[in-house]
Amino acid sequence: MKIFVYHTPELVPTQSLPDCAVVIDVLRATSTIATALHNGAAGIRAFADLEELQQTAASFALGTCLKAGERGGKGVPGFEMGNSPFEYTPERVTGKRILMSTTNGTRALQAVQKTTVVITAAFINLGVVRNFLKQEEFQTVWLVGSGWEGSYSLEDTGCAGAVAWELGEPGNDETVAACALYGQWQGDLLGLLKQASHGQRLLGLGCLEDLKYCADAGRLNVLPRQNDEGYLVGTYL
Amino acid sequence: MKIFVYHTPELVPTQSLPDCAVVIDVLRATSTIATALHNGAAGIRAFADLEELQQTAASFALGTCLKAGERGGKGVPGFEMGNSPFEYTPERVTGKRILMSTTNGTRALQAVQKTTVVITAAFINLGVVRNFLKQEEFQTVWLVGSGWEGSYSLEDTGCAGAVAWELGEPGNDETVAACALYGQWQGDLLGLLKQASHGQRLLGLGCLEDLKYCADAGRLNVLPRQNDEGYLVGTYL
C-alpha cells in the first residue's frame, strides 16, 4: 500500500484517482461528521454551494434534514447547525440527513468524490480508520488535508501522519514529513491543535472545549464512508 | 523574530516582503552556491531564462565568467558547469562570475529577489546561516524552499526546519512542521536525502557522493548574500 499525503485539496492530482481517499479536516468538519454519525445521523452530504444546499433541503420532508454550515469558523444565518461537534447530539441528529457546507472540508471532499472508496478521518476516529486501511488491500491511498483557504494546516497534516504512521509505504515526500510531525506530537495532540494557526483562531472564538474534543484520539469507532448517493454514512468494522 | 516557512516559491506571498529571505535548494543549487563561493568564485547570479543568461555571458570578457545550468538534474549543452558541487573546484571557479540557471532554485531566488537581505542556505552552511540570523535583529524571516517543479520537497523543508530550529518564533504552521521534520532526522541527514524523492532521482543518476556531501551539515562557513547587482557573493561573519 502506497500512501500519498496532500496538504490541501488544491494539490490533489486531477488526472488520476487512488483506490481509497481519506479526507481530513480535524478542525472541525471531519471531527463533526464522525460525531454526528456516531450519534445516529442517517447521512451527511457536503455542498460547496449554499444555494444548492438550500434547494436540496427544500426537497426533504419537514423535519427530516438539517442544514449545517460554517464560514470562517462561524455559523451560517438560517442554518440549524454550525460546525461544532457538540451541537450534534443524539437528540438533534438521530435519523436525520445533514446537508453541510464548510469553509475547507467541503472542497477536500469534492476533490476526491469520484474515488471508489471515500472515507473521512479525524483524530477522534483514528483507530477505526487505521484498522480499515490495514484490513483492506488498497494499492494506493490518498490522505487529503483540507487546509485553510488553500494553505497548509498543521492539524490536518498531523492527522494524516497519524493515519500513515507505520502503515504502508510513503508515496511522496509529504507522507514522510507528516509522519515526522505526528511522531513529535503524538503525546500532545491538544498541544498540536493549540499550536496550529486554525486552532488559535478557534481559541479566539472561545472554542477550547472543541479543541480538547478534537484532540481526543480514538474516542469514536465510527467510519464515515461515502455511499452511492454521495452521503457519508456511518459504518463499523 | 518570526520565522515563516514556504514549501515552494509558488506559495510565497506576493503582497509583502520580509526583512530577510533565506532561499533553500539543498539538492543542489544552494549547496553548490555555497561551495563555489567557498572555493573563490567572485559571485553567482541566477537566471530563469537561458537566453538572458547567454546574453549576459556574452557581455563578459573571455574567461571571466562560467555558464552553469541544470535541467531535470542534468547539465545544459554548451554550458561549462552543471549543478554538482564537485565541479566547483578552486581551480575552475576562483575569481569567476558564475551565471546559473537551475530547475527549481532559480525560481525561489526570483520570488524573493526584492527583499533587502537575501541569503541562501543548505545543510553544508547551516551553522553560519543560523549564526547570521541570531546576530541580526530581523522582525520577519522567510525560509523559501525550492521544491520540485512546484511540489513540496522533503530536503528543503528539512533544511528550513534546521535553520528555524529553536530560533525565533514560528510564523506559520509550516515552520512548526519543518522543525518536527528536522527534529526527527537531524541525526541522519543523509537518510533524509535518500528518502526524499529528489534524492532518489539523483541516486538514479549516480549521484550518491553528491548526496553525502550535501548532507554534511556545517562543513562550510560561507554565507552567500545577494548584493546590489543581484549577485550572490561570499560573506563571512
Side-chain angles (χ1 to χ4, degrees):
Chain A
M1 182 163 66
K2 278 210 167 188
I3 303 181
F4 298 78
V5 169
Y6 298 101
H7 296 144
T8 65
E10 289 74 16
L11 295 169
V12 166
T14 52
Q15 304 300 316
S16 60
L17 286 173
D19 300 317
C20 173
V22 183
V23 171
I24 300 168
D25 186 5
V26 172
L27 295 175
R28 293 168 289 177
T30 57
S31 298
T32 295
I33 287 167
T35 303
L37 294 175
H38 174 80
N39 284 343
I44 298 167
R45 193 172 146 196
F47 292 81
D49 181 19
L50 292 179
E51 279 299 310
E52 192 192 343
L53 187 157
Q54 294 275 22
Q55 286 169 11
T56 307
S59 71
F60 278 91
L62 201 67
T64 62
C65 90
L66 293 167
K67 288 175 286 185
E70 166 261 326
R71 285 293 180 270
K74 296 182 183 170
V76 177
F79 280 28
E80 294 92 342
M81 312 290 281
N83 196 26
S84 170
F86 294 123
E87 300 176 46
Y88 293 74
T89 58
E91 295 71 32
R92 296 184 78 177
V93 304
T94 298
K96 302 279 175 64
R97 297 273 171 169
I98 297 170
L99 312 182
M100 176 180 266
S101 184
T102 70
T103 315
N104 306 295
T106 301
R107 283 194 311 203
L109 279 163
Q110 292 202 320
V112 294
Q113 64 185 354
K114 291 183 179 162
T115 307
T116 309
V117 180
V118 177
I119 63 174
T120 71
F123 286 120
I124 56 164
N125 69 336
L126 178 61
V128 71
V129 169
R130 285 176 54 83
N131 288 339
F132 175 72
L133 294 176
K134 276 182 204 164
Q135 173 184 298
E136 302 291 322
E137 295 191 348
F138 298 120
Q139 292 276 316
T140 57
V141 175
W142 291 359
L143 310 183
V144 182
S146 299
W148 178 264
E149 296 179 354
S151 292
Y152 179 93
S153 84
L154 200 58
E155 69 279 11
D156 290 346
T157 302
C159 186
V163 173
W165 184 255
E166 296 178 355
L167 191 73
E169 190 185 337
N172 60 4
D173 283 9
E174 289 89 329
T175 308
V176 179
C179 288
L181 179 61
Y182 178 67
Q184 183 184 322
W185 289 91
Q186 58 181 314
D188 183 19
L189 294 179
L190 179 58
L192 179 70
L193 298 192
K194 285 181 173 174
Q195 180 79 263
S197 56
H198 192 172
Q200 290 173 11
R201 209 175 293 120
L202 287 172
L203 287 174
L205 295 168
C207 299
L208 173 60
E209 292 305 314
D210 283 54
L211 260 62
K212 286 183 183 169
Y213 178 83
C214 293
D216 191 3
R219 179 185 183 121
L220 306 179
N221 67 344
V222 64
L223 183 76
R225 181 172 176 169
Q226 184 178 270
N227 70 11
D228 293 343
E229 293 164 336
Y231 280 85
L232 292 159
V233 297
T235 56
Y236 296 85
L237 300 189
Chain B
M1 180 164 68
K2 279 209 166 188
I3 303 180
F4 298 78
V5 169
Y6 298 101
H7 296 143
T8 65
E10 289 74 16
L11 296 168
V12 167
T14 52
Q15 303 300 315
S16 60
L17 286 173
D19 301 317
C20 173
V22 184
V23 171
I24 300 167
D25 186 6
V26 172
L27 295 176
R28 293 168 288 176
T30 58
S31 298
T32 295
I33 287 166
T35 302
L37 294 174
H38 174 80
N39 285 343
I44 298 168
R45 193 171 148 198
F47 293 80
D49 181 20
L50 292 179
E51 279 298 310
E52 193 191 342
L53 187 157
Q54 294 275 22
Q55 285 168 13
T56 307
S59 72
F60 278 91
L62 201 67
T64 62
C65 90
L66 292 167
K67 289 175 285 185
E70 167 262 326
R71 285 292 180 268
K74 296 183 184 170
V76 177
F79 280 28
E80 295 90 344
M81 313 291 280
N83 195 25
S84 169
F86 294 122
E87 301 176 45
Y88 293 74
T89 58
E91 294 72 30
R92 296 186 76 178
V93 303
T94 298
K96 302 279 174 66
R97 297 271 171 170
I98 296 171
L99 312 181
M100 176 180 265
S101 184
T102 70
T103 314
N104 305 296
T106 302
R107 284 195 312 203
L109 279 163
Q110 293 202 321
V112 294
Q113 65 186 355
K114 291 184 179 160
T115 307
T116 310
V117 180
V118 177
I119 62 174
T120 70
F123 287 119
I124 56 164
N125 69 336
L126 178 61
V128 70
V129 169
R130 285 177 53 83
N131 287 339
F132 175 72
L133 294 175
K134 276 183 203 164
Q135 172 184 298
E136 302 291 323
E137 294 191 349
F138 298 120
Q139 293 275 315
T140 57
V141 174
W142 290 0
L143 311 183
V144 182
S146 299
W148 178 263
E149 296 180 355
S151 293
Y152 179 93
S153 83
L154 199 58
E155 69 280 9
D156 290 345
T157 302
C159 186
V163 173
W165 184 255
E166 296 177 355
L167 191 74
E169 192 186 335
N172 60 4
D173 283 10
E174 289 88 330
T175 308
V176 179
C179 288
L181 180 61
Y182 177 67
Q184 183 183 323
W185 290 91
Q186 58 181 315
D188 182 19
L189 295 179
L190 179 58
L192 179 70
L193 298 192
K194 285 181 174 174
Q195 179 78 262
S197 55
H198 192 173
Q200 290 173 11
R201 208 175 295 120
L202 286 173
L203 286 175
L205 296 169
C207 299
L208 173 61
E209 292 305 314
D210 283 53
L211 260 61
K212 285 184 184 170
Y213 178 82
C214 293
D216 191 3
R219 179 186 184 119
L220 306 180
N221 68 342
V222 64
L223 183 76
R225 182 171 175 169
Q226 185 178 268
N227 70 11
D228 293 343
E229 294 164 336
Y231 281 84
L232 292 159
V233 296
T235 57
Y236 295 84
L237 300 189

